[in-house]
Amino acid sequence: MIELKTPAEIENMHVAGRFVAEVLSDVGRLADVGVNLMDMEHHVRGMIERRGAESCYWDYAPSFGKGPFRNVICLSVNDAVLHGLPHDYALRDGDVLTADLALRVDGWAADSARTVVVGTPAEEDLRIIRATEEALEAAIEAARPENRLGDISAAIWAVARDHGYPVNTEFGGHAIGRTMHEDLHIPNKGRPGRGPKLQPGLTLALEPWFARTTDRIVYDPDGWTIRSADGSRTAHSEHTVAVTTGSPLVLTRREPQNPATKGDSGDHLSTTDA
Ligand code: MG
Ligand code: MG
């Protein structure tokens, strides 16, 4: 069942979304050479506690994970792209870090992810990060009531193809509301004009992610961290978006940061944020 939200419910989700954006901005500022992933995890725990928010990851136990997740943020480095389990690792110059965060504030969830380069960026790493950001903006632009779900998937896939990145279809976007994952899967590859019609009140987490040279994935022994099967580097960009009668409303948009220092260029591109 696809649940539509009222404007008041979307505004509740926007409150959660603004907080997710604030935390991810902080994580981006923190990401530096020598910083330990566990310090980032604890920083985020502190922010969540002070805000009285709830992590959607803590105790999350889907079929593929090995036991419940006992962290509040996913931190994935280099060839790791999804569900990276924070662990004792100090970031190195040139590392690519993906931070993915889903929180609930007053019972409403928002979910967002970003990839940044730590220290000196390699051009090819910036290229794949920008491609996922571009794909995300294209997906947002397609989240309109005259379109179908397949139009979003097709928009992401078109950007991936332009840049020459293969697309994995096992993990993609999803509907979101009171819980992080509501019952609608949004593959990052698909055909225009297919699937359910998009309706005002739909709230979706759109999340293109690519690996440079493969669409296959492997799991770490921790049962969570998902890596590109060939070890190639990865990037992931995600926003929570509401379909409205007008322009799509991005609920997790971050304030612009200096892209030159963080290799994150997406957030000043917005024309759809209200
Ligand atoms: Mg996420
Ligand atoms: Mg998500």
Side-chain angles (χ1 to χ4, degrees):
M1 224 223 19
I2 298 170
E3 202 195 312
L4 301 176
K5 278 80 179 178
T6 65
E9 289 171 335
I10 290 171
E11 187 40 44
N12 290 336
M13 289 179 68
H14 207 164
V15 171
R18 287 189 194 99
F19 182 56
V20 167
E22 187 188 322
V23 177
L24 282 184
S25 290
D26 240 51
V27 167
R29 274 188 292 269
L30 265 179
D32 213 344
V33 177
V35 172
N36 196 294
L37 298 183
M38 287 314 293
D39 293 337
M40 302 180 97
E41 160 75 19
H42 286 286
H43 179 83
V44 176
R45 280 187 202 180
M47 287 184 85
I48 291 173
E49 215 167 287
R50 286 191 294 279
R51 182 67 170 75
E54 261 178 283
S55 165
C56 297
Y57 297 150
W58 193 267
D59 275 347
Y60 182 53
S63 56
F64 57 83
K66 207 181 253 181
F69 201 82
R70 286 293 178 158
N71 292 279
V72 298
I73 188 166
C74 293
L75 297 171
S76 306
V77 180
N78 295 337
D79 58 323
V81 63
L82 297 174
H83 309 153
L85 198 65
H87 59 285
D88 178 20
Y89 174 80
L91 290 166
R92 297 178 190 163
D93 190 43
D95 275 350
V96 168
L97 173 71
T98 294
D100 190 349
L101 183 70
L103 296 174
R104 240 187 324 262
V105 176
D106 296 329
W108 291 95
D111 185 4
S112 181
R114 68 186 299 201
T115 300
V116 298
V117 179
V118 176
T120 321
E123 190 48 45
E124 60 196 29
D125 292 335
L126 293 180
R127 216 169 69 78
I128 191 168
I129 292 169
R130 288 185 190 128
T132 61
E133 291 171 347
E134 191 187 318
L136 177 55
E137 294 306 323
I140 292 167
E141 194 46 46
R144 293 171 176 274
E146 61 269 26
N147 284 343
R148 290 182 179 271
L149 196 67
D151 293 296
I152 293 178
S153 303
I156 293 170
W157 191 24
V159 172
R161 272 197 316 251
D162 274 359
H163 290 270
Y165 299 122
V167 174
N168 171 287
T169 51
E170 288 159 86
F171 289 93
H174 48 94
I176 178 169
R178 287 196 175 272
T179 58
M180 169 171 61
H181 288 128
E182 290 192 337
D183 202 12
L184 185 68
H185 175 62
I186 310 166
N188 288 330
K189 187 178 193 175
R191 308 220 170 267
R194 304 282 178 88
K197 259 186 90 66
L198 303 176
Q199 297 176 64
L202 258 185
T203 42
L204 307 172
L206 306 177
E207 47 181 315
W209 63 273
F210 310 138
R212 280 183 56 214
T213 49
T214 184
D215 58 0
R216 290 186 309 114
I217 53 174
V218 290
Y219 288 78
D220 272 10
D222 67 27
W224 285 101
T225 309
I226 294 177
R227 299 178 187 276
S228 64
D230 64 0
S232 61
R233 287 197 169 188
T234 61
H236 179 200
S237 299
E238 176 178 24
H239 276 308
T240 296
V241 177
V243 179
T244 75
T245 51
S247 292
L249 180 62
V250 181
L251 305 179
T252 47
R253 188 71 79 185
R254 295 181 299 279
E255 296 292 318
Q257 286 178 284
N258 182 353
T261 55
K262 287 297 178 191
D264 176 300
S265 61
D267 287 334
H268 60 290
L269 294 175
S270 164
T271 52
T272 52
D273 204 7

